[in-house]
Amino acid sequence: MSKTPNEQLLFELIKSLTKSEKRSFKIYAKRSGSTNEAKFLRLFDAMDKLDQYDEVYLKKRLVDANDAQFANLKSHLYGQILASLRLSNLKYDIDIELREQLDYIRVLYKKGLYQQSLRLLNRAKNTTGDYRKDLFQLAILDYEKQIRSQQVFELNEAYVDDLDSQTENAFKRFSNVQRFFTLAIKMKARFVEHGTVKNEKELNNLRALFYTSLPEYDEDKLAFNEKFYLYRTFYWFSYLTYDFNSCVKYAEKWILLFYETGLDEKRKSGFLKGLNRLLQSAFRVDNLYVFNDYFEQLLSLESNNTQNSASNTGALFIKYKAIQTFNSIFLNKDFEENEEIVLGILEDVNQKVNTIDKHNLMVIYYKAGVYFFAIQDYQKANDYLNRVISEQEHLRSDLKGFSRIINILIDYDSGEIDQMELKIASALKYIGQEDNLGEFQKSFLGLIGDIGRIYPQNLRKSFLELKSHLERLKHNALDAKPLLYFDLISWLNAKIEGKSFLEIVKRD
């Protein structure tokens, strides 16, 4: 991955700011003794107006700053924006608030004001309990031991033993959380890089890795964070191995854990992620009842202004709403009537494009490409599919492979067959290199490549033979993997019956 220049980092930070955050930054800058004419504020305003970073333009706007001063201005502006964001997020981000409380506890301790330090410490301890913040609890217990050790005449052996017991339990919980969390990240990283398992060998290797990495545990005795990360771990393992019913099970446990503890409001980011996973899993198993029920819950968060409580939560909400809106359309088969809604969510995504990770952005673009293919808006379909194909990062080779396949289908359906042979050869080469070339893709692309050599009167027969072959493969989860990405059999049925792809999708 190439290193991003510092000035680009500053530009991205400015472009990620909401109107409210920009307003708060200006107020912060003025309160800190600056004026509207301060150089770093002029630099901020100039950068805010740009669509792309342009250093020549910026230097013309700050002719009174030499090169060294200009570099210092950028660094100072970056620091000032971060300081302003920290203040404006205090009331939204419990981690920032707790770190501030720890700083105050430390300051009072160093001044010898032990009673005042303990007073703040007890307040912070209650907050860590309310939010189940294990790492902060460890830090607070450590401070408490330090403070108590200075109060010679108030030392109590039983109290020290209790502190030691609390610390030992907190360490054990934290250790479990870290092992569950590390394994969950490993599973997710494998999915992002390579997609789901492709063959029996990969499946067996993954099972061995997963079960040998799990620590021993008794689910009933686990605390909130232990359960939270345990469910995340099992979710990703189940997703990678096509066990989507287990995905529903663990994602629903994840969501209910938040509801039962009341942390759906206090830790909105973790709750939103679980809700997205549950919807994705219900979509995979075609569980319309579960999907529609929880999709309503997702949409209700918008009317409750949940997405505005913090910028991170806002970005999560926008990308999850986009992904699940497409899933809702595909599951409920209401394509044409939702075109205006689709255009609206894609505009929302475009507004937040710098705050959405590339993985989820590729998912959104791919689903948009499939949607526009279904309604036969081939220009928009190609636009979004090409965004997936052209992504330079080594991410989601599975999506890139299927984007190429649908791109070929667009050429065939629209009669633009001049470049088809080259595209088919390119698709076969790419999918083969990425080790994603299964029997489904090979057979399908093989027929498409041979279409020009098949007599028109034999074409329907060839489609029927391929359909029969692919339907036999459906019974094996690994072989049927391509149907998770695109319904190739429905496309074949459309050709066989002389109907549109959308007509077949709605009927079946």
Side-chain angles (χ1 to χ4, degrees):
M1 186 187 299
S2 59
K3 187 176 178 182
T4 305
N6 289 338
E7 56 269 16
Q8 188 64 30
L9 295 176
L10 172 61
F11 183 68
E12 287 178 2
L13 177 61
I14 290 173
K15 288 301 178 183
S16 75
L17 299 178
T18 64
K19 289 182 180 179
S20 174
E21 287 169 339
K22 290 175 185 177
R23 186 166 57 250
S24 296
F25 166 68
K26 298 234 176 146
I27 293 171
Y28 171 81
K30 291 173 186 175
R31 284 178 179 172
S32 63
S34 301
T35 68
N36 283 324
E37 294 304 310
K39 288 181 182 178
F40 78 88
L41 276 176
R42 285 161 49 205
L43 177 60
F44 174 85
D45 288 333
M47 290 185 80
D48 188 32
K49 291 174 182 175
L50 291 174
D51 291 324
Q52 301 226 339
Y53 184 77
D54 185 343
E55 188 145 324
V56 174
Y57 167 81
L58 293 173
K59 285 184 175 180
K60 286 180 181 178
R61 297 298 302 268
L62 284 97
V63 291
D64 50 341
N66 60 37
D67 287 347
Q69 290 173 327
F70 187 69
N72 288 335
L73 271 178
K74 288 185 289 187
S75 178
H76 181 60
L77 176 57
Y78 191 86
Q80 291 289 300
I81 293 172
L82 288 181
S84 169
L85 284 173
R86 181 186 177 280
L87 282 176
S88 62
N89 276 280
L90 258 176
K91 60 182 178 180
Y92 300 130
D93 193 314
I94 194 62
D95 285 28
I96 295 176
E97 181 184 328
L98 283 169
R99 286 191 190 96
E100 184 179 63
Q101 292 300 312
L102 287 173
D103 288 345
Y104 292 156
I105 291 165
R106 180 68 180 172
V107 168
L108 292 170
Y109 169 76
K110 288 186 72 176
K111 290 185 71 65
L113 299 171
Y114 303 130
Q115 288 300 329
Q116 291 189 43
S117 183
L118 275 176
R119 183 168 169 268
L120 277 184
L121 185 145
N122 287 327
R123 188 186 304 166
K125 186 186 283 189
N126 289 333
T127 304
T128 61
D130 289 343
Y131 285 83
R132 312 298 203 277
K133 291 290 183 178
D134 294 334
L135 183 58
F136 284 103
Q137 185 181 19
L138 279 170
I140 287 169
L141 287 167
D142 181 59
Y143 272 134
E144 186 168 3
K145 287 180 180 178
Q146 292 183 50
I147 296 167
R148 294 290 185 189
S149 71
Q150 301 300 319
Q151 296 175 299
V152 178
F153 298 107
E154 296 182 27
L155 276 177
N156 180 295
E157 189 174 345
Y159 193 85
V160 173
D161 286 341
D162 183 57
L163 275 179
D164 185 59
S165 177
Q166 289 183 53
T167 304
E168 187 176 337
N169 289 332
F171 265 121
K172 185 177 179 181
R173 287 197 305 273
F174 188 69
S175 175
N176 277 338
V177 165
Q178 290 309 302
R179 291 185 70 179
F180 291 144
F181 192 20
T182 298
L183 189 52
I185 294 173
K186 231 180 227 187
M187 296 295 104
K188 184 176 180 180
R190 182 166 292 213
F191 172 69
V192 170
E193 288 185 66
H194 307 293
T196 47
V197 294
K198 305 173 189 70
N199 50 57
E200 289 292 337
K201 181 181 177 182
E202 278 194 18
L203 181 60
N204 292 331
N205 288 341
L206 189 66
R207 282 176 177 155
L209 168 67
F210 183 79
Y211 286 108
T212 56
S213 301
L214 272 178
E216 290 186 14
Y217 65 91
D218 181 344
E219 186 177 341
D220 292 334
K221 294 180 180 178
L222 298 180
F224 172 85
N225 282 320
E226 291 171 295
K227 288 182 179 179
F228 173 40
Y229 287 105
L230 175 69
Y231 299 154
R232 288 177 68 172
T233 301
F234 269 99
Y235 168 85
W236 278 112
F237 173 69
S238 302
Y239 198 88
L240 279 168
T241 57
Y242 305 106
D243 187 358
F244 298 119
N245 285 309
S246 288
C247 286
V248 173
K249 170 186 170 182
Y250 286 106
E252 193 157 28
K253 279 190 169 192
W254 176 343
I255 291 302
L256 293 177
L257 180 66
F258 274 81
Y259 278 140
E260 289 163 2
T261 56
L263 290 174
D264 54 308
E265 285 297 319
K266 292 178 178 177
R267 290 175 60 170
K268 291 171 182 171
S269 174
F271 173 72
L272 262 178
K273 289 176 182 178
L275 191 52
N276 179 62
R277 301 300 176 210
L278 179 52
L279 288 166
Q280 189 70 14
S281 305
F283 170 71
R284 289 298 190 203
V285 297
D286 293 327
N287 192 326
L288 193 61
Y289 175 78
V290 169
F291 183 92
N292 286 342
D293 182 27
Y294 283 101
F295 187 55
E296 282 185 22
Q297 292 185 45
L298 176 68
L299 296 181
S300 73
L301 300 180
E302 185 170 30
S303 60
N304 292 336
N305 294 317
T306 296
Q307 78 277 22
N308 294 322
S309 63
S311 57
N312 179 53
T313 309
L316 285 177
F317 181 83
I318 285 172
K319 70 183 181 184
Y320 294 159
K321 179 188 174 186
I323 291 169
Q324 300 310 332
T325 296
F326 281 119
N327 285 345
S328 176
I329 291 169
F330 297 154
L331 201 54
N332 289 283
K333 302 178 181 179
D334 46 6
F335 288 78
E336 298 101 332
E337 51 268 53
N338 280 301
E339 185 172 3
E340 191 173 333
I341 290 174
V342 166
L343 294 174
I345 64 168
L346 289 173
E347 180 58 32
D348 290 341
V349 167
N350 188 52
Q351 296 277 333
K352 285 280 187 179
V353 70
N354 292 324
T355 62
I356 299 175
D357 60 282
K358 286 185 178 179
H359 167 240
N360 277 292
L361 204 56
M362 288 177 70
V363 172
I364 292 167
Y365 289 158
Y366 178 77
K367 288 182 180 290
V370 173
Y371 170 81
F372 286 117
F373 173 81
I375 65 170
Q376 295 184 316
D377 188 337
Y378 294 142
Q379 184 175 345
K380 282 194 179 75
N382 269 327
D383 176 38
Y384 284 103
L385 294 170
N386 285 332
R387 295 186 197 190
V388 177
I389 294 168
S390 62
E391 173 54 54
Q392 296 301 308
E393 296 280 353
H394 188 68
L395 294 171
R396 298 307 303 269
S397 60
D398 49 350
L399 293 185
K400 290 178 182 177
F402 270 89
S403 293
R404 291 169 183 266
I405 289 174
I406 301 171
N407 195 276
I408 292 165
L409 299 187
I410 289 172
D411 284 354
Y412 180 77
D413 284 354
S414 59
E416 302 289 335
I417 59 174
D418 292 344
Q419 299 296 316
M420 267 185 57
E421 281 197 28
L422 287 174
K423 286 186 177 182
I424 291 167
S426 175
L428 284 166
K429 181 180 178 182
Y430 176 81
I431 298 171
Q433 284 175 341
E434 294 298 325
D435 199 21
N436 278 330
L437 191 58
E439 186 62 28
F440 243 90
Q441 299 101 306
K442 188 187 296 184
S443 300
F444 191 84
L445 287 171
L447 173 65
I448 299 299
D450 287 338
I451 278 177
R453 293 182 286 275
I454 299 173
Y455 290 113
Q457 62 268 30
N458 294 329
L459 195 54
R460 186 173 183 275
K461 179 184 175 185
S462 297
F463 282 138
L464 282 166
E465 288 173 351
L466 178 59
K467 177 191 169 185
S468 177
H469 177 58
L470 297 185
E471 283 185 330
R472 287 195 296 273
L473 296 175
K474 279 173 60 176
H475 300 295
N476 183 299
L478 292 175
D479 286 335
K481 172 187 172 182
L483 293 178
L484 298 175
Y485 299 90
F486 183 76
D487 193 349
L488 294 169
I489 292 177
S490 287
W491 186 86
L492 284 172
N493 280 333
K495 300 303 137 194
I496 292 166
E497 298 179 32
K499 295 180 179 179
S500 72
F501 174 70
L502 190 54
E503 285 177 297
I504 299 296
V505 168
K506 285 187 170 186
R507 185 195 68 190
D508 298 341

